[in-house]
Amino acid sequence: MFRLTLVLGLCCAALPAQTAIHTWEVQEIALRSLRTYDNPYRDVECWVELKGPGFAKRVYGFWDGGETFRVRVVATASGAWTWTSGSNQPSDTGLNRKSGTFTARDWTEVEKQANPNRRGFLRSTANGHALQYADGTPFFLVGDTWLGGGTWRLPLTAVAVDPNYEPGPGVTFEAAVAYRKRQGFNSVSMIAAFPIWASDPYPNTYADRKGVYLRNAWEAFGMTVDGKSPTAKAMHDEQGYRSFEVLPNRDGLADFDRIVPHYFQSLDRKMQHLSDQGFVPMLETIRRDVAPPWKAYFNFNESFSRFVQYMASRYGAHNFVFSKVHFDIYLRNYSITGAEFNEALNYHYKKYGPMPFGQPVTALIDHFPTAVTFGHTDQAPWINMHATGNKPRDHGIYAAIEALFRLSPPYPAIDLEPYYTGWMHQNNVVAGERPQPDTDRDNYFARAQMYGCVLSGALAGHVYGTAAYDITVDTEPAGTRPYFWQALRYRSAAYMEPLARFVMSEGAKYRDLEPASDSLSPRKADGSRDAGLDGWNFMMRTRARDFALLYFENQARRARAAGWNPNAEYTMSWFNTQTGDWEAGTTLHADAQGAMQLPPFPDGKDVAGTDWAARITARKVAN
């Protein structure tokens, strides 16, 4: 999308009285300090007071190197807008009391169709259970896991992508985005910074001389320290910059109070490219393993809060989901606790408040949902979208999702670490089973989690799990995770677009669904395992009982469904989760008690030989 830069320099160059821009389009106000600071990142806070139709808030800026500070804003409605700058350095006339105006106009419907981000930033639906654009258009997140995608591992090259591109060695950021967009994806998840990760003389997991573990990183395949332990994956940007300066003679410890703006300028370009392609990325601050040294050697609440705000300021004018920490698992010594993260994030919220433009805020989480690890409402006011994650990657996750659905007040929910296709690891085992990558069984497990999570109440959408989350590139030795280009081609990714189409088959009506799996009998096949992904039935249904979506796992039993409108007629249509095709509808009749027998599976049997989804809608009565 077009981006206008409003530049205010040393001489306060005059701007037109009215600058015309579009709504929901990143606008950048550049301020130049007139004083020299030892550490502008730590010592200076700047902002603008932004006012427009229905909007009056402080929007914070960020240091971008040298004397340059930037404040990124968007107009949330058409009309006249004004801004006035300020800072915590009142004597610096380069940062304070600057002002400007601009006029925003709406995009046309054709322009919105070309890029749905022009419909406005994501927010919760009125009932709290799903997501929508600011104009009310439904949004169902179809995401992929590119945790290392913000680094050199997936370079942004400005090279045009063949519209028929198929992933192969040398895949670029643009090519990967284009390929996933073609498959119906609208989001990718990335970790913004890996401050201590490098392929250096230290192991991927190591402690400093004081016994503080500095990292618990993904291993660099084929690169060892002294021929023994692997070192860490390098996570600099395409120009070799790392996210923070490195302290000399401190065993590789990052200086968490000195940021490197050049690194984030590279990330800026990727975030803008995603926005231009209509994607709504999920951006995470850090992975949990760099928190122990941060807490041991710095004022963690203040320092981490500063970085969270840097991310919020730098990317807060983008349509994105903000994950304030990648807390994939709690391991003693390799992470701080959820309570310690929550304390720091509550500190940040109290100091800076919510995102000024209202985007969803969550966290990737360990084996408990966010509402358990961090809390709900007053316990964790920084959260406005809940998540489940990491473990278990089987039936055990579904009760947690249903519990999130029933929270009051309700927040949208999503599962951020489901089953990972192709990951040959003990953390990715289902009932003792670990299929070979990209086999039918491997891809089925991914598909089962897609439908099972969403139809347990995760109506915000689904993030697809791939073993290549670390973005291993073809110039590195092969390892225990696939090359990124290989994982892009796994068949399971192609199931995500049919999932979204299935959920939205009745338009926005899916937003009114509620968990109703207990109305199915049997809910679970005899002998099905809680730690497995076979034999369970799922259903969500509207309170008016006029619409339902169902999912039947492999080996599920034909079910009887209760709780329908008595003596009503319905149409049930089977949906092929692998091809995305609908079968012809079947008429069903609810009895006087509101129960009805569901038909056999499409192959005519009472036990599913593979998984199936279905839709039930009330038949309209002719006048």
Side-chain angles (χ1 to χ4, degrees), residues 14 32 50 69 110 114 121 127 149 172 237 262 352 404 425 436 444 451 475 480 491 499 502 576 602:
R32 185 171 295 275
L50 180 66
F69 292 80
V110 171
F121 294 172
N127 67 4
T172 65
D237 73 355
H262 293 294
Y352 294 102
L404 290 178
H425 194 277
Q436 289 297 307
Y444 163 70
Y451 286 82
T475 56
T480 57
R491 285 173 292 151
L499 168 70
F502 168 73
N576 188 316

mmCIF file of all heavy atoms in Angstrom, residues 14 32 50 69 110 114 121 127 149 172 237 262 352 404 425 436 444 451 475 480 491 499 502 576 602:
data_model
loop_
_atom_site.group_PDB
_atom_site.id
_atom_site.type_symbol
_atom_site.label_atom_id
_atom_site.label_comp_id
_atom_site.label_asym_id
_atom_site.label_seq_id
_atom_site.Cartn_x
_atom_site.Cartn_y
_atom_site.Cartn_z
ATOM 1 N N ALA A 14 8.090 23.607 5.832
ATOM 2 C CA ALA A 14 6.648 23.820 5.789
ATOM 3 C C ALA A 14 5.960 22.682 5.050
ATOM 4 O O ALA A 14 6.462 22.170 4.053
ATOM 5 C CB ALA A 14 6.348 25.153 5.099
ATOM 6 N N ARG A 32 13.365 15.132 14.164
ATOM 7 C CA ARG A 32 14.821 15.103 14.303
ATOM 8 C C ARG A 32 15.216 15.828 15.587
ATOM 9 O O ARG A 32 14.935 17.022 15.761
ATOM 10 C CB ARG A 32 15.491 15.768 13.103
ATOM 11 C CG ARG A 32 17.021 15.662 13.108
ATOM 12 C CD ARG A 32 17.597 16.132 11.788
ATOM 13 N NE ARG A 32 17.193 15.275 10.695
ATOM 14 C CZ ARG A 32 17.826 14.147 10.365
ATOM 15 N NH1 ARG A 32 18.866 13.760 11.057
ATOM 16 N NH2 ARG A 32 17.394 13.417 9.356
ATOM 17 N N LEU A 50 -2.743 12.568 18.648
ATOM 18 C CA LEU A 50 -3.431 12.433 17.367
ATOM 19 C C LEU A 50 -4.931 12.597 17.570
ATOM 20 O O LEU A 50 -5.521 11.938 18.438
ATOM 21 C CB LEU A 50 -3.123 11.064 16.754
ATOM 22 C CG LEU A 50 -3.757 10.753 15.405
ATOM 23 C CD1 LEU A 50 -3.206 11.663 14.313
ATOM 24 C CD2 LEU A 50 -3.534 9.282 15.033
ATOM 25 N N PHE A 69 13.753 10.208 14.965
ATOM 26 C CA PHE A 69 12.659 9.544 15.669
ATOM 27 C C PHE A 69 11.450 9.539 14.737
ATOM 28 O O PHE A 69 11.264 10.462 13.945
ATOM 29 C CB PHE A 69 12.318 10.278 16.972
ATOM 30 C CG PHE A 69 13.400 10.193 18.009
ATOM 31 C CD1 PHE A 69 14.511 11.022 17.940
ATOM 32 C CD2 PHE A 69 13.317 9.268 19.039
ATOM 33 C CE1 PHE A 69 15.524 10.936 18.886
ATOM 34 C CE2 PHE A 69 14.322 9.176 19.991
ATOM 35 C CZ PHE A 69 15.435 10.011 19.916
ATOM 36 N N VAL A 110 -13.770 -1.395 -4.648
ATOM 37 C CA VAL A 110 -12.848 -2.120 -5.536
ATOM 38 C C VAL A 110 -11.453 -2.150 -4.923
ATOM 39 O O VAL A 110 -10.768 -3.184 -4.946
ATOM 40 C CB VAL A 110 -12.826 -1.475 -6.929
ATOM 41 C CG1 VAL A 110 -11.720 -2.080 -7.793
ATOM 42 C CG2 VAL A 110 -14.178 -1.647 -7.612
ATOM 43 N N ALA A 114 -9.134 -5.398 -3.502
ATOM 44 C CA ALA A 114 -7.758 -5.652 -3.924
ATOM 45 C C ALA A 114 -6.848 -5.904 -2.736
ATOM 46 O O ALA A 114 -5.873 -6.653 -2.842
ATOM 47 C CB ALA A 114 -7.235 -4.479 -4.751
ATOM 48 N N PHE A 121 -8.270 -2.290 10.789
ATOM 49 C CA PHE A 121 -7.555 -3.244 11.617
ATOM 50 C C PHE A 121 -8.510 -4.228 12.282
ATOM 51 O O PHE A 121 -9.691 -3.945 12.488
ATOM 52 C CB PHE A 121 -6.747 -2.516 12.685
ATOM 53 C CG PHE A 121 -5.619 -1.684 12.126
ATOM 54 C CD1 PHE A 121 -4.905 -0.831 12.946
ATOM 55 C CD2 PHE A 121 -5.271 -1.748 10.783
ATOM 56 C CE1 PHE A 121 -3.863 -0.078 12.451
ATOM 57 C CE2 PHE A 121 -4.226 -0.989 10.275
ATOM 58 C CZ PHE A 121 -3.520 -0.148 11.110
ATOM 59 N N ASN A 127 -19.921 -10.170 19.790
ATOM 60 C CA ASN A 127 -20.131 -11.198 20.815
ATOM 61 C C ASN A 127 -18.831 -11.676 21.448
ATOM 62 O O ASN A 127 -18.844 -12.528 22.333
ATOM 63 C CB ASN A 127 -20.907 -12.389 20.234
ATOM 64 C CG ASN A 127 -20.116 -13.164 19.187
ATOM 65 O OD1 ASN A 127 -18.944 -12.889 18.917
ATOM 66 N ND2 ASN A 127 -20.759 -14.155 18.588
ATOM 67 N N GLY A 149 11.243 -16.092 10.105
ATOM 68 C CA GLY A 149 11.044 -15.440 8.809
ATOM 69 C C GLY A 149 11.461 -13.997 8.745
ATOM 70 O O GLY A 149 11.612 -13.446 7.648
ATOM 71 N N THR A 172 12.593 -17.033 -1.580
ATOM 72 C CA THR A 172 12.665 -15.696 -1.004
ATOM 73 C C THR A 172 11.414 -15.413 -0.184
ATOM 74 O O THR A 172 10.422 -16.147 -0.238
ATOM 75 C CB THR A 172 12.783 -14.634 -2.110
ATOM 76 O OG1 THR A 172 11.565 -14.651 -2.889
ATOM 77 C CG2 THR A 172 13.984 -14.909 -3.004
ATOM 78 N N ASP A 237 19.855 -10.093 10.341
ATOM 79 C CA ASP A 237 19.064 -9.757 9.156
ATOM 80 C C ASP A 237 19.908 -9.948 7.896
ATOM 81 O O ASP A 237 21.049 -10.449 7.957
ATOM 82 C CB ASP A 237 18.497 -8.335 9.262
ATOM 83 C CG ASP A 237 19.558 -7.252 9.073
ATOM 84 O OD1 ASP A 237 20.766 -7.578 8.954
ATOM 85 O OD2 ASP A 237 19.177 -6.060 9.051
ATOM 86 N N HIS A 262 18.947 -0.635 12.613
ATOM 87 C CA HIS A 262 19.108 -1.172 11.264
ATOM 88 C C HIS A 262 18.435 -2.542 11.126
ATOM 89 O O HIS A 262 17.864 -2.853 10.073
ATOM 90 C CB HIS A 262 20.593 -1.294 10.922
ATOM 91 C CG HIS A 262 21.289 0.027 10.805
ATOM 92 N ND1 HIS A 262 21.006 0.935 9.819
ATOM 93 C CD2 HIS A 262 22.250 0.592 11.569
ATOM 94 C CE1 HIS A 262 21.762 2.001 9.964
ATOM 95 N NE2 HIS A 262 22.522 1.819 11.019
ATOM 96 N N TYR A 352 1.907 2.337 29.458
ATOM 97 C CA TYR A 352 1.640 2.803 28.095
ATOM 98 C C TYR A 352 0.204 2.593 27.631
ATOM 99 O O TYR A 352 -0.201 3.165 26.613
ATOM 100 C CB TYR A 352 2.575 2.096 27.113
ATOM 101 C CG TYR A 352 4.031 2.446 27.306
ATOM 102 C CD1 TYR A 352 4.899 1.580 27.967
ATOM 103 C CD2 TYR A 352 4.543 3.655 26.842
ATOM 104 C CE1 TYR A 352 6.240 1.894 28.143
ATOM 105 C CE2 TYR A 352 5.883 3.986 27.013
ATOM 106 C CZ TYR A 352 6.717 3.088 27.667
ATOM 107 O OH TYR A 352 8.047 3.413 27.838
ATOM 108 N N LEU A 404 -11.906 -21.492 27.236
ATOM 109 C CA LEU A 404 -11.687 -20.115 26.796
ATOM 110 C C LEU A 404 -12.961 -19.537 26.196
ATOM 111 O O LEU A 404 -13.292 -18.363 26.421
ATOM 112 C CB LEU A 404 -10.556 -20.061 25.767
ATOM 113 C CG LEU A 404 -9.135 -20.320 26.259
ATOM 114 C CD1 LEU A 404 -8.149 -20.267 25.096
ATOM 115 C CD2 LEU A 404 -8.730 -19.320 27.342
ATOM 116 N N HIS A 425 9.847 -35.246 16.382
ATOM 117 C CA HIS A 425 10.281 -34.845 17.717
ATOM 118 C C HIS A 425 9.330 -35.425 18.750
ATOM 119 O O HIS A 425 8.136 -35.582 18.501
ATOM 120 C CB HIS A 425 10.311 -33.316 17.817
ATOM 121 C CG HIS A 425 11.031 -32.781 19.009
ATOM 122 N ND1 HIS A 425 10.435 -32.677 20.242
ATOM 123 C CD2 HIS A 425 12.301 -32.322 19.164
ATOM 124 C CE1 HIS A 425 11.298 -32.163 21.103
ATOM 125 N NE2 HIS A 425 12.444 -31.947 20.476
ATOM 126 N N GLN A 436 5.982 -40.553 9.530
ATOM 127 C CA GLN A 436 7.001 -39.955 8.689
ATOM 128 C C GLN A 436 6.443 -38.678 8.034
ATOM 129 O O GLN A 436 5.240 -38.559 7.783
ATOM 130 C CB GLN A 436 7.440 -40.941 7.606
ATOM 131 C CG GLN A 436 8.269 -42.101 8.144
ATOM 132 C CD GLN A 436 9.578 -41.623 8.763
ATOM 133 O OE1 GLN A 436 10.354 -40.903 8.133
ATOM 134 N NE2 GLN A 436 9.816 -42.015 10.011
ATOM 135 N N TYR A 444 -2.972 -36.088 8.071
ATOM 136 C CA TYR A 444 -4.261 -36.222 8.752
ATOM 137 C C TYR A 444 -4.217 -35.600 10.136
ATOM 138 O O TYR A 444 -5.153 -34.906 10.546
ATOM 139 C CB TYR A 444 -4.678 -37.694 8.868
ATOM 140 C CG TYR A 444 -5.763 -37.874 9.907
ATOM 141 C CD1 TYR A 444 -7.050 -37.389 9.677
ATOM 142 C CD2 TYR A 444 -5.488 -38.453 11.153
ATOM 143 C CE1 TYR A 444 -8.039 -37.495 10.649
ATOM 144 C CE2 TYR A 444 -6.462 -38.570 12.116
ATOM 145 C CZ TYR A 444 -7.741 -38.086 11.870
ATOM 146 O OH TYR A 444 -8.712 -38.187 12.842
ATOM 147 N N TYR A 451 -9.615 -28.738 12.293
ATOM 148 C CA TYR A 451 -11.064 -28.749 12.495
ATOM 149 C C TYR A 451 -11.427 -28.906 13.962
ATOM 150 O O TYR A 451 -12.379 -28.282 14.459
ATOM 151 C CB TYR A 451 -11.695 -29.861 11.653
ATOM 152 C CG TYR A 451 -11.744 -29.521 10.187
ATOM 153 C CD1 TYR A 451 -10.628 -29.706 9.376
ATOM 154 C CD2 TYR A 451 -12.891 -28.992 9.613
ATOM 155 C CE1 TYR A 451 -10.655 -29.382 8.030
ATOM 156 C CE2 TYR A 451 -12.938 -28.661 8.263
ATOM 157 C CZ TYR A 451 -11.814 -28.852 7.480
ATOM 158 O OH TYR A 451 -11.849 -28.517 6.151
ATOM 159 N N THR A 475 21.314 -23.627 1.952
ATOM 160 C CA THR A 475 22.770 -23.458 2.025
ATOM 161 C C THR A 475 23.351 -24.029 3.317
ATOM 162 O O THR A 475 24.568 -24.030 3.486
ATOM 163 C CB THR A 475 23.133 -21.970 1.927
ATOM 164 O OG1 THR A 475 22.443 -21.236 2.955
ATOM 165 C CG2 THR A 475 22.750 -21.415 0.559
ATOM 166 N N THR A 480 17.380 -32.199 11.609
ATOM 167 C CA THR A 480 16.207 -32.916 12.110
ATOM 168 C C THR A 480 14.904 -32.233 11.750
ATOM 169 O O THR A 480 13.836 -32.777 12.016
ATOM 170 C CB THR A 480 16.295 -33.073 13.637
ATOM 171 O OG1 THR A 480 16.424 -31.773 14.236
ATOM 172 C CG2 THR A 480 17.494 -33.926 14.029
ATOM 173 N N ARG A 491 1.499 -31.439 1.799
ATOM 174 C CA ARG A 491 0.094 -31.422 1.378
ATOM 175 C C ARG A 491 -0.831 -30.816 2.435
ATOM 176 O O ARG A 491 -1.872 -30.244 2.109
ATOM 177 C CB ARG A 491 -0.364 -32.845 1.073
ATOM 178 C CG ARG A 491 0.156 -33.411 -0.242
ATOM 179 C CD ARG A 491 -0.212 -34.868 -0.373
ATOM 180 N NE ARG A 491 0.493 -35.692 0.605
ATOM 181 C CZ ARG A 491 0.024 -36.833 1.107
ATOM 182 N NH1 ARG A 491 -1.164 -37.272 0.744
ATOM 183 N NH2 ARG A 491 0.740 -37.527 1.964
ATOM 184 N N LEU A 499 -10.623 -25.325 5.006
ATOM 185 C CA LEU A 499 -11.106 -25.096 6.371
ATOM 186 C C LEU A 499 -11.803 -23.745 6.460
ATOM 187 O O LEU A 499 -12.928 -23.642 6.976
ATOM 188 C CB LEU A 499 -9.934 -25.153 7.356
ATOM 189 C CG LEU A 499 -10.227 -24.657 8.774
ATOM 190 C CD1 LEU A 499 -11.158 -25.617 9.506
ATOM 191 C CD2 LEU A 499 -8.928 -24.452 9.557
ATOM 192 N N PHE A 502 -15.057 -23.733 4.549
ATOM 193 C CA PHE A 502 -16.068 -24.496 5.276
ATOM 194 C C PHE A 502 -16.665 -23.667 6.412
ATOM 195 O O PHE A 502 -17.891 -23.555 6.542
ATOM 196 C CB PHE A 502 -15.425 -25.765 5.834
ATOM 197 C CG PHE A 502 -16.261 -26.513 6.836
ATOM 198 C CD1 PHE A 502 -17.374 -27.229 6.446
ATOM 199 C CD2 PHE A 502 -15.921 -26.509 8.186
ATOM 200 C CE1 PHE A 502 -18.150 -27.923 7.371
ATOM 201 C CE2 PHE A 502 -16.681 -27.197 9.120
ATOM 202 C CZ PHE A 502 -17.793 -27.897 8.714
ATOM 203 N N ASN A 576 -15.816 -32.646 2.147
ATOM 204 C CA ASN A 576 -14.569 -33.407 2.051
ATOM 205 C C ASN A 576 -13.413 -32.512 2.490
ATOM 206 O O ASN A 576 -13.076 -31.546 1.808
ATOM 207 C CB ASN A 576 -14.361 -33.885 0.609
ATOM 208 C CG ASN A 576 -13.185 -34.836 0.479
ATOM 209 O OD1 ASN A 576 -12.119 -34.621 1.044
ATOM 210 N ND2 ASN A 576 -13.378 -35.911 -0.293
ATOM 211 N N PRO A 602 -20.255 -40.690 3.973
ATOM 212 C CA PRO A 602 -20.454 -40.732 2.522
ATOM 213 C C PRO A 602 -20.160 -42.065 1.855
ATOM 214 O O PRO A 602 -20.691 -42.333 0.764
ATOM 215 C CB PRO A 602 -19.503 -39.626 2.019
ATOM 216 C CG PRO A 602 -19.479 -38.638 3.141
ATOM 217 C CD PRO A 602 -19.496 -39.475 4.384
#
